[in-house]
Amino acid sequence: VGVDLGGRRIIKKIDLPSSFFNGRVDELKNILQDHTTFGMSDTHKVKSDHEVLTRKEFKEIPLLKGLLDKAYKQLGTSGGGNHFVEFGIATLDHPRPEWRLEPGQYFALLSHSGSRGLGANIAKHYTTLAMKQTPLPRQVQHLAWLDLSTHDGMEYWMAMNLAGDYAT
């Protein structure tokens, strides 16, 4: 059982020359601050919708039933903790045919987000179960696990995968 459920990083090349970044750091920082919501904020008033919120796990797993409203509220935010969004220059030293990019410098947006409150609650719940079911010495209790051949282990696996899809 782990805490960082579904953390994802994505980089997006922006169709502007890399030189666009020069001299605009403050302007770009303000754009991100004005249009990015981290954590549970009152500024995120739009209730976002996505097909992941209709998944059967939200109906079948008791813990997830109680987290659906939180998942709706946090969808579209970047989360908290170590999550971030930033503009910058991405440098490619080698061609990336799968991305259709040649070596060079590109103006880009980098984002790291995760499963937010949904994943944190899943991790907390199943960590508690794992620590009860897998007694370990105090100093390593946080390394407890759930066997996938058990009901709780399979439920955790399903919830964790849902959190990963939610984070994406």
Side-chain angles (χ1 to χ4, degrees), residues 23 28 47 52-54 93 103 133 136 164 167:
L28 295 169
K47 186 175 178 181
V52 73
L53 298 170
T54 63
D93 295 329
Q133 294 177 28
L136 295 171

PDB file of all heavy atoms in Angstrom, residues 23 28 47 52-54 93 103 133 136 164 167:
ATOM      1  N   GLY A  23      12.073  36.747 -20.926  1.00  0.00           N
ATOM      2  CA  GLY A  23      11.515  38.022 -20.472  1.00  0.00           C
ATOM      3  C   GLY A  23      10.058  37.961 -20.050  1.00  0.00           C
ATOM      4  O   GLY A  23       9.460  38.984 -19.743  1.00  0.00           O
ATOM      5  N   LEU A  28       4.040  34.765 -17.241  1.00  0.00           N
ATOM      6  CA  LEU A  28       3.644  33.352 -17.287  1.00  0.00           C
ATOM      7  C   LEU A  28       3.314  32.828 -15.889  1.00  0.00           C
ATOM      8  O   LEU A  28       2.364  32.052 -15.712  1.00  0.00           O
ATOM      9  CB  LEU A  28       4.741  32.517 -17.937  1.00  0.00           C
ATOM     10  CG  LEU A  28       4.996  32.828 -19.417  1.00  0.00           C
ATOM     11  CD1 LEU A  28       6.262  32.152 -19.900  1.00  0.00           C
ATOM     12  CD2 LEU A  28       3.802  32.443 -20.258  1.00  0.00           C
ATOM     13  N   LYS A  47     -18.159  22.377 -11.034  1.00  0.00           N
ATOM     14  CA  LYS A  47     -18.196  20.940 -10.799  1.00  0.00           C
ATOM     15  C   LYS A  47     -17.897  20.255 -12.124  1.00  0.00           C
ATOM     16  O   LYS A  47     -18.721  20.233 -13.021  1.00  0.00           O
ATOM     17  CB  LYS A  47     -19.559  20.513 -10.255  1.00  0.00           C
ATOM     18  CG  LYS A  47     -19.598  19.056  -9.856  1.00  0.00           C
ATOM     19  CD  LYS A  47     -20.921  18.714  -9.206  1.00  0.00           C
ATOM     20  CE  LYS A  47     -20.971  17.249  -8.854  1.00  0.00           C
ATOM     21  NZ  LYS A  47     -22.245  16.875  -8.249  1.00  0.00           N
ATOM     22  N   VAL A  52     -14.661   8.921 -15.887  1.00  0.00           N
ATOM     23  CA  VAL A  52     -14.091   8.140 -14.789  1.00  0.00           C
ATOM     24  C   VAL A  52     -15.002   8.187 -13.554  1.00  0.00           C
ATOM     25  O   VAL A  52     -15.035   7.248 -12.759  1.00  0.00           O
ATOM     26  CB  VAL A  52     -12.654   8.607 -14.445  1.00  0.00           C
ATOM     27  CG1 VAL A  52     -12.652   9.947 -13.730  1.00  0.00           C
ATOM     28  CG2 VAL A  52     -11.919   7.550 -13.631  1.00  0.00           C
ATOM     29  N   LEU A  53     -15.784   9.245 -13.413  1.00  0.00           N
ATOM     30  CA  LEU A  53     -16.658   9.395 -12.251  1.00  0.00           C
ATOM     31  C   LEU A  53     -17.900   8.508 -12.329  1.00  0.00           C
ATOM     32  O   LEU A  53     -18.636   8.400 -11.356  1.00  0.00           O
ATOM     33  CB  LEU A  53     -17.055  10.860 -12.090  1.00  0.00           C
ATOM     34  CG  LEU A  53     -15.874  11.800 -11.832  1.00  0.00           C
ATOM     35  CD1 LEU A  53     -16.301  13.250 -11.915  1.00  0.00           C
ATOM     36  CD2 LEU A  53     -15.209  11.490 -10.513  1.00  0.00           C
ATOM     37  N   THR A  54     -18.105   7.854 -13.452  1.00  0.00           N
ATOM     38  CA  THR A  54     -19.249   6.942 -13.593  1.00  0.00           C
ATOM     39  C   THR A  54     -18.808   5.479 -13.479  1.00  0.00           C
ATOM     40  O   THR A  54     -19.629   4.579 -13.688  1.00  0.00           O
ATOM     41  CB  THR A  54     -19.952   7.146 -14.956  1.00  0.00           C
ATOM     42  OG1 THR A  54     -19.042   6.811 -16.009  1.00  0.00           O
ATOM     43  CG2 THR A  54     -20.438   8.582 -15.109  1.00  0.00           C
ATOM     44  N   ASP A  93      17.932  16.318 -26.878  1.00  0.00           N
ATOM     45  CA  ASP A  93      19.255  16.094 -27.466  1.00  0.00           C
ATOM     46  C   ASP A  93      19.219  15.111 -28.631  1.00  0.00           C
ATOM     47  O   ASP A  93      20.126  15.076 -29.438  1.00  0.00           O
ATOM     48  CB  ASP A  93      20.223  15.565 -26.396  1.00  0.00           C
ATOM     49  CG  ASP A  93      20.484  16.589 -25.307  1.00  0.00           C
ATOM     50  OD1 ASP A  93      20.458  17.803 -25.607  1.00  0.00           O
ATOM     51  OD2 ASP A  93      20.691  16.182 -24.145  1.00  0.00           O
ATOM     52  N   PRO A 103      15.701  17.191 -32.426  1.00  0.00           N
ATOM     53  CA  PRO A 103      16.471  17.818 -31.348  1.00  0.00           C
ATOM     54  C   PRO A 103      16.299  19.338 -31.390  1.00  0.00           C
ATOM     55  O   PRO A 103      16.170  19.934 -32.452  1.00  0.00           O
ATOM     56  CB  PRO A 103      17.921  17.425 -31.665  1.00  0.00           C
ATOM     57  CG  PRO A 103      17.810  16.185 -32.484  1.00  0.00           C
ATOM     58  CD  PRO A 103      16.539  16.343 -33.268  1.00  0.00           C
ATOM     59  N   GLN A 133      -3.716  -6.241   9.247  1.00  0.00           N
ATOM     60  CA  GLN A 133      -3.678  -7.610   8.722  1.00  0.00           C
ATOM     61  C   GLN A 133      -2.265  -8.160   8.567  1.00  0.00           C
ATOM     62  O   GLN A 133      -2.090  -9.371   8.466  1.00  0.00           O
ATOM     63  CB  GLN A 133      -4.398  -7.664   7.367  1.00  0.00           C
ATOM     64  CG  GLN A 133      -5.877  -7.376   7.485  1.00  0.00           C
ATOM     65  CD  GLN A 133      -6.572  -7.359   6.133  1.00  0.00           C
ATOM     66  OE1 GLN A 133      -6.141  -8.029   5.198  1.00  0.00           O
ATOM     67  NE2 GLN A 133      -7.643  -6.597   6.036  1.00  0.00           N
ATOM     68  N   LEU A 136       3.701  -5.979  11.647  1.00  0.00           N
ATOM     69  CA  LEU A 136       5.136  -5.795  11.443  1.00  0.00           C
ATOM     70  C   LEU A 136       5.696  -5.002  12.627  1.00  0.00           C
ATOM     71  O   LEU A 136       4.937  -4.326  13.330  1.00  0.00           O
ATOM     72  CB  LEU A 136       5.390  -5.001  10.150  1.00  0.00           C
ATOM     73  CG  LEU A 136       4.987  -5.662   8.840  1.00  0.00           C
ATOM     74  CD1 LEU A 136       5.094  -4.669   7.691  1.00  0.00           C
ATOM     75  CD2 LEU A 136       5.835  -6.883   8.561  1.00  0.00           C
ATOM     76  N   GLY A 164      -5.596   6.045 -10.213  1.00  0.00           N
ATOM     77  CA  GLY A 164      -4.651   6.334 -11.278  1.00  0.00           C
ATOM     78  C   GLY A 164      -5.329   6.862 -12.524  1.00  0.00           C
ATOM     79  O   GLY A 164      -4.863   7.820 -13.144  1.00  0.00           O
ATOM     80  N   ALA A 167      -6.410  10.384 -11.855  1.00  0.00           N
ATOM     81  CA  ALA A 167      -5.284  11.321 -11.894  1.00  0.00           C
ATOM     82  C   ALA A 167      -4.900  11.701 -13.319  1.00  0.00           C
ATOM     83  O   ALA A 167      -4.395  12.787 -13.562  1.00  0.00           O
ATOM     84  CB  ALA A 167      -4.075  10.721 -11.184  1.00  0.00           C
TER      85      ALA A 167
END
